[in-house]
Amino acid sequence: MSDKLIEVNHLKKYFPIKGGLISRTMMEVKAVDDVSFFINRGETLGLVGESGCGKTTVGRAVLRLIEPDSGEIIFEGNDITRQKRGGLRRIRRNIQIVFQDPNASLNPRMLVRDVLAEPLLINGMKKGLEMDKKITALLEAVGLNPIHANRYPHEFSGGQRQRICIARALALAPKFIVLDEPTSSLDVSVQSQILNMLKDLQKDLGLTYLFISHNLIVVKYLSSRVAVMYLGKIVEMSSTNDLFDHPLHPYTQALLSAIPIPDPAIKRKNRIILQGDVPTPINPPNGCRFHTRCRYKMNICDKVTPEFKDVGGEHFVACHLMNKR
């Protein structure tokens, strides 16, 4: 029996570029173009790729913070894309997000107490002893002192502010959380604290994560599976160990070759230097979108879009090279 908590099928999101006197659509940015993946209950799927590849758009579209143009988003058997306002509100108790920048996602005029109380009040909890106990429990769960509830966000460090954002995401006891680069703006030492806390929370509360990042070392540490995205499409997806040990797509191979090695005594494998610039998502290349930078380019690559398929052991890849194996 499948234990998929969330399943995304053929997700698309284009952003129109308007111009002219009547502001008509001139072009479209194909930010997310036919993306499919699933996340099993209690696991972390890491979503990686270069800046601008569409990672954040995927995360926000999955939660319907931005409306997808087409596709299915199945959460516990319910298609989120078909839900009206009332049904979507009930589902959103179970799906939350932690944004990249805690400074921008916290209201500077609200006490931490009010920040944490807001989702509880919206969902029917009354102010009083029960509310106070809940706020105390949330702060303690993320390693903060309950006395911090009476302070404003600017009185905290960046790592503490991100802990507050995580506490707010936990307020309604969700099952699924999108983590949109939650540690990228933090110092390295603070990053490790936040990552360890996220792992502990996942174990204690049975949480499921979509972890969006461009830091492959962080993704390897936190994720049980990894999906690699390039120019609006997922090009490879497999278990973390399999992907890092046996990358199949040329783009994934190039990404992994760029990971810094902290010990200079360790001999680095050959670094793969990609040639050329990333194509624009306004007018992506025909066929395989990576063919303009691929060292293995074949005649078929610029004509036919490769199928995203399982090549064995739930290792999915979209590359014409797999047809030659």
Side-chain angles (χ1 to χ4, degrees):
M1 181 178 177
S2 175
D3 198 28
K4 296 175 183 177
L5 179 69
I6 190 164
E7 186 174 3
V8 176
N9 297 314
H10 307 294
L11 183 68
K12 290 187 179 183
K13 180 59 184 179
Y14 295 174
F15 294 100
I17 299 176
K18 297 183 180 294
L21 294 176
I22 59 174
S23 190
R24 62 188 179 92
T25 298
M26 309 291 289
M27 294 176 288
E28 291 181 315
V29 177
K30 298 178 180 179
V32 178
D33 197 6
D34 198 15
V35 163
S36 299
F37 61 89
F38 62 90
I39 310 177
N40 292 319
R41 196 178 301 273
E43 78 165 354
T44 300
L45 176 67
L47 185 59
V48 303
E50 294 170 299
S51 296
C53 70
K55 305 185 299 296
T56 292
T57 303
V58 167
R60 296 189 181 194
V62 164
L63 303 185
R64 275 187 62 184
L65 295 181
I66 56 176
E67 290 293 334
D69 294 329
S70 64
E72 292 181 329
I73 304 165
I74 311 296
F75 178 79
E76 292 191 318
N78 298 304
D79 189 351
I80 295 177
T81 59
R82 297 177 181 271
Q83 296 293 324
K84 302 300 181 182
R85 186 172 182 177
L88 186 60
R89 182 172 178 176
R90 287 190 295 272
I91 290 175
R92 276 186 171 153
R93 292 176 59 94
N94 290 312
I95 56 175
Q96 296 294 321
I97 186 169
V98 176
F99 295 100
Q100 177 178 353
D101 184 4
N103 296 319
S105 56
L106 292 173
N107 189 330
R109 296 172 180 253
M110 293 176 68
L111 292 170
V112 170
R113 174 184 303 280
D114 298 326
V115 169
L116 299 182
E118 187 173 35
L120 299 170
L121 290 170
I122 291 173
N123 284 274
M125 183 179 286
K126 304 296 183 182
K127 287 187 176 181
L129 183 60
E130 184 183 3
M131 175 76 75
D132 293 339
K133 287 182 178 180
K134 181 67 174 179
I135 291 172
T136 296
L138 288 170
L139 290 172
E140 290 177 342
V142 297
L144 294 176
N145 195 304
I147 64 173
H148 291 155
N150 297 311
R151 297 181 182 177
Y152 289 95
H154 74 269
E155 299 180 73
F156 296 90
S157 66
Q160 289 174 320
R161 282 194 286 267
Q162 196 60 288
R163 288 174 186 266
I164 294 168
C165 293
I166 294 170
R168 179 177 59 186
L170 296 174
L172 298 176
K175 298 177 182 178
F176 173 63
I177 301 179
V178 174
L179 302 168
D180 187 6
E181 303 202 45
T183 61
S184 63
S185 62
L186 307 178
D187 294 337
V188 174
S189 60
V190 179
Q191 284 186 25
S192 64
Q193 296 172 16
I194 297 295
L195 291 172
N196 287 331
M197 182 189 70
L198 288 170
K199 291 194 83 169
D200 291 341
L201 289 171
Q202 183 174 42
K203 181 179 179 181
D204 295 341
L205 303 177
L207 297 170
T208 302
Y209 295 146
L210 173 62
F211 184 72
I212 299 169
S213 181
H214 60 268
N215 188 327
L216 289 166
I217 297 299
V218 169
V219 168
K220 184 177 182 180
Y221 176 72
L222 194 67
S223 304
S224 47
R225 289 190 303 120
V226 178
V228 180
M229 198 165 178
Y230 182 80
L231 207 64
K233 289 183 175 289
I234 292 178
V235 297
E236 188 165 2
M237 181 172 66
S238 76
S239 68
T240 301
N241 290 337
D242 195 17
L243 186 120
F244 277 77
D245 293 341
H246 305 289
L248 298 179
H249 197 281
Y251 177 63
T252 307
Q253 294 169 0
L255 283 183
L256 296 183
S257 77
I259 297 176
I261 298 177
D263 187 350
I266 299 176
K267 186 177 180 181
R268 173 185 283 280
K269 296 180 181 179
N270 292 333
R271 173 74 188 275
I272 301 173
I273 305 296
L274 295 179
Q275 303 297 320
D277 298 325
V278 180
T280 173
I282 297 174
N283 186 25
N286 294 325
C288 174
R289 295 190 174 182
F290 185 63
H291 80 262
T292 59
R293 306 170 74 194
C294 183
R295 55 183 177 155
Y296 301 116
K297 179 188 173 183
M298 302 178 292
N299 291 333
I300 193 175
C301 294
D302 60 356
K303 300 177 178 65
V304 180
T305 301
E307 180 186 357
F308 186 64
K309 63 181 181 180
D310 187 352
V311 295
E314 290 196 335
H315 192 143
F316 296 83
V317 64
C319 181
H320 291 300
L321 288 173
M322 297 303 102
N323 297 327
K324 300 181 65 176
R325 299 183 63 173

